[in-house]
Amino acid sequence: MKLSDAMTAAINDQIKAELDSAYIYLAMSAYFEDCGLSGMAHWMRKQYKEEVEHAEKFIDYLYERGARFIVPETAKPKESYENALDVFKTAYAHEQYVTSRIYKLVDMATAEKDYATLSMLKWYVDEQVEEEANAGGIVEKLEFLGGDKHGIYAVDRELSSR
Ligand code: FEO
């Protein structure tokens, strides 16, 4: 069965969202490098690579279904933040946004009775649970610490082992 034109466009749009996410995290990594928080920078760099993988998984799916992938223009990411908590809060909110996008794709695949796409999307539904838990967990820790610099450095060390 051929992928519908609407689904092809929606997946292409999601690939753009994943690549935009990658750039957002790459910029967050650069911000942390600039602050001397190398563990957080490392964590964000890993996140950047994960987002590229998310995009590639969608690209491969388009190819598998004989559909066309159009390389999108990516949005320029925000470069500066107030502090580490601000960065992770932004990342957490961004992941919630990505989850809502994945759910819309699920709704669309359900309406189209596109069972192959639904099955493929299950991986992303599960992945988003992990993505939100990761970012949300760090927000909780940083909120608990407030501005405690020793605590923030301890979290930085912890994140260097991702
Ligand atoms: Fe690709 Fe972080 O969602």
Side-chain angles (χ1 to χ4, degrees):
M1 224 170 87
K2 200 177 167 294
L3 205 59
S4 74
D5 288 346
M7 186 57 79
T8 302
I11 292 176
N12 265 287
D13 208 40
Q14 185 59 27
I15 292 166
K16 173 180 163 43
E18 300 290 351
L19 292 172
D20 282 344
S21 303
Y23 266 43
I24 288 169
Y25 294 128
L26 189 60
M28 287 176 173
S29 175
Y31 167 80
F32 282 133
E33 283 290 350
D34 198 42
C35 297
L37 290 164
S38 58
M40 292 185 187
H42 166 82
W43 193 95
M44 284 298 175
R45 189 76 170 268
K46 277 259 161 108
Q47 191 61 35
Y48 153 74
K49 287 180 186 164
E50 273 207 8
E51 297 303 343
V52 172
E53 280 174 20
H54 295 172
E56 284 178 335
K57 212 170 157 66
F58 274 122
I59 293 168
D60 287 338
Y61 180 71
L62 286 181
Y63 293 161
E64 251 177 10
R65 301 291 308 271
R68 181 88 160 90
F69 161 56
I70 311 282
V71 177
E73 260 183 48
T74 45
K76 176 109 180 98
K78 184 175 145 140
E79 314 250 0
S80 63
Y81 292 89
E82 277 173 37
N83 50 36
L85 177 59
D86 182 29
V87 178
F88 279 99
K89 269 187 170 173
T90 306
Y92 181 44
H94 184 72
E95 287 306 327
Q96 289 173 313
Y97 162 70
V98 173
T99 301
S100 74
R101 293 191 57 111
I102 297 291
Y103 286 4
K104 274 188 195 149
L105 286 174
V106 169
D107 288 343
M108 195 174 163
T110 304
E112 286 191 11
K113 293 191 165 62
D114 181 347
Y115 299 114
T117 299
L118 262 182
S119 171
M120 178 275 293
L121 287 170
K122 187 181 177 303
W123 184 88
Y124 287 91
V125 171
D126 295 342
E127 177 71 5
Q128 282 311 120
V129 173
E130 200 186 305
E131 295 277 82
E132 286 192 28
N134 287 345
I138 299 168
V139 167
E140 270 181 17
K141 267 185 206 170
L142 293 173
E143 270 175 344
F144 173 76
L145 290 168
D148 174 20
K149 285 201 171 151
H150 291 294
I152 291 169
Y153 274 114
V155 173
D156 185 61
R157 261 199 310 280
E158 185 192 327
L159 296 187
S160 68
S161 65
R162 181 180 184 184

